[in-house]
């Protein structure tokens, strides 16, 4: 099979509906392969550091496979792994740097809110309280919007590693920043729609988990050792099994 292009090229104007439909179609057509990889990714999460790196690499593998399908250059899992495996720690480093970026973003806004609270506690005027209350709500809205914006700018970092010859985490982040600058609004909308699609799966997971818990509570006391020994493994298996449905879908978007 031919390999995907070594340099990711923007597909041009993006249609949100087409992207979601394409992701669903790819996942449907290759459900067994994608679900197995998603389940394997979650199983690796049990292993600290190395397992987390494997989770991220498998997510990148799914992104590469999906990109190959969309670009008309499908790959086998074995061929795609030859590109992904040597970049294991690049995926991990990129995720770590992105986590630091979001943490810094969060701390910055938390600092601003802290200053507002400190000022508000020193005033007695109801007018100023209202002013700071409105300002605080606006600041919170700006914070949420800015998180979506920042996520959209970093959205393609893992794909840059998976598809291109990026061997540096900083280069992958810069590449994502470059590729997404014209599609910020659409990427935010795609992310939001994909999140809405994931909600029913999460609700079903919570429902089944609650039923298992109730059934076990009818036989064992919740604080007993045997309850924990039965419930925790079952809950973990259930969580991994359902979550594995979502990893390939997210990676395909």
């Amino acid at each position: 099979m031919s390999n995907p292009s070594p340099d990711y090229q923007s597909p041009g104007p993006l249609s949100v509906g087409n992207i979601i439909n394409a992701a669903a179609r790819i996942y449907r057509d290759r459900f067994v392969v994608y679900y197995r990889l998603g389940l394997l990714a979650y199983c690796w999460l049990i292993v600290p550091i190395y397992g987390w790196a494997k989770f991220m690499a498998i997510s990148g593998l799914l992104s590469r496979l999906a990109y190959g399908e969309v670009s008309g250059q499908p790959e086998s899992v074995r061929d795609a792994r030859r590109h992904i495996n040597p970049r294991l720690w690049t995926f991990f480093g990129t995720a770590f740097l992105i986590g630091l970026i979001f943490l810094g973003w969060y701390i910055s806004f938390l600092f601003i809110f802290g200053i507002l609270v400190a000022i508000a506690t020193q005033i007695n005027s109801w007018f100023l309280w209202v002013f700071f209350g409105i300002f605080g709500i606006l600041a919170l809205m700006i914070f949420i919007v800015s998180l979506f914006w920042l996520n959209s700018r970093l959205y393609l970092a893992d794909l840059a590693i998976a598809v291109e010859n990026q061997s540096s985490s900083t280069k992958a982040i810069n590449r994502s920043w470059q590729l997404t600058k014209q599609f910020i609004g659409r990427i935010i909308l795609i992310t939001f729609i994909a999140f809405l699609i994931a909600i029913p799966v999460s609700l079903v997971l919570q429902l089944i988990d609650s039923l298992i818990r109730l059934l076990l509570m009818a036989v064992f006391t919740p604080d007993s050792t045997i309850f924990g020994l039965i419930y925790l493994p079952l809950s973990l298996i259930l969580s991994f099994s359902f979550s594995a449905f979502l990893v390939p879908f997210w990676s395909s978007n």
Side-chain angles (χ1 to χ4, degrees):
M1 294 183 182
S2 58
N3 292 327
S5 172
D7 291 313
Y8 174 79
Q9 300 295 327
S10 172
L14 299 175
S15 167
V16 175
N18 288 343
I19 290 175
I20 297 294
N21 289 336
R25 177 183 55 79
I26 292 170
Y27 192 17
R28 180 197 63 210
D29 294 344
R30 303 195 64 184
F31 173 79
V32 175
V33 174
Y34 278 42
Y35 179 75
R36 185 172 66 244
L37 288 171
L39 186 59
L40 178 62
Y42 264 92
C43 289
W44 271 113
L45 284 177
I46 300 173
V47 182
I49 309 299
Y50 180 76
W52 304 341
K54 288 290 290 184
F55 173 87
M56 296 160 195
I58 293 173
S59 297
L61 173 64
L62 287 165
S63 295
R64 182 179 176 88
L65 291 172
Y67 173 75
E69 293 285 342
V70 171
S71 62
Q73 297 175 309
E75 278 185 301
S76 67
V77 175
R78 178 180 296 179
D79 290 339
R81 275 196 173 122
R82 292 195 185 103
H83 179 91
I84 296 297
N85 288 343
R87 293 164 174 77
L88 175 71
W89 294 109
T90 305
F91 282 105
F92 181 80
T94 301
F96 182 75
L97 286 178
I98 290 175
L100 290 180
I101 291 171
F102 276 102
L103 179 62
W105 205 267
Y106 173 76
I107 291 175
S108 299
F109 274 89
L110 194 64
F111 179 74
I112 295 173
F113 273 112
I115 293 176
L116 288 176
V117 172
I119 295 174
T121 55
Q122 302 299 319
I123 60 178
N124 296 318
S125 171
W126 67 268
F127 176 78
L128 289 177
W129 268 101
V130 172
F131 172 78
F132 278 108
I134 294 175
F135 186 81
I137 293 173
L138 289 175
L140 180 61
M141 293 175 62
I142 293 172
F143 172 66
I144 294 173
V145 171
S146 68
L147 281 181
F148 276 100
W149 175 84
L150 184 60
N151 177 72
S152 71
R153 300 312 306 271
L154 304 173
Y155 191 76
L156 296 178
D158 62 335
L159 184 62
I161 302 169
V163 175
E164 299 183 351
N165 294 319
Q166 301 289 348
S167 57
S168 165
S169 297
T170 54
K171 288 181 180 179
I173 291 173
N174 289 335
R175 183 64 170 147
S176 177
W177 204 270
Q178 174 189 359
L179 290 170
T180 57
K181 60 185 178 181
Q182 296 181 356
F183 307 113
I184 297 173
R186 287 175 178 149
I187 291 175
I188 291 175
L189 185 56
I190 289 168
T191 305
F192 181 70
I193 293 175
F195 171 76
L196 292 180
I197 292 173
I199 289 178
V201 176
S202 299
L203 291 177
V204 172
L205 170 61
Q206 292 299 320
L207 177 61
I208 297 177
D209 185 79
S210 298
L211 289 174
I212 292 175
R213 186 177 179 86
L214 288 174
L215 289 173
L216 290 176
M217 287 174 62
V219 181
F220 310 104
T221 56
D223 56 348
S224 66
T225 302
I226 191 169
F227 178 88
L229 290 175
I230 297 176
Y231 173 72
L232 290 179
L234 284 177
S235 180
L236 189 64
I237 292 171
L238 181 68
S239 178
F240 281 9
S241 299
F242 272 79
S243 298
F245 280 103
L246 301 179
V247 173
F249 181 76
W250 279 97
S251 299
S252 299
N253 277 280

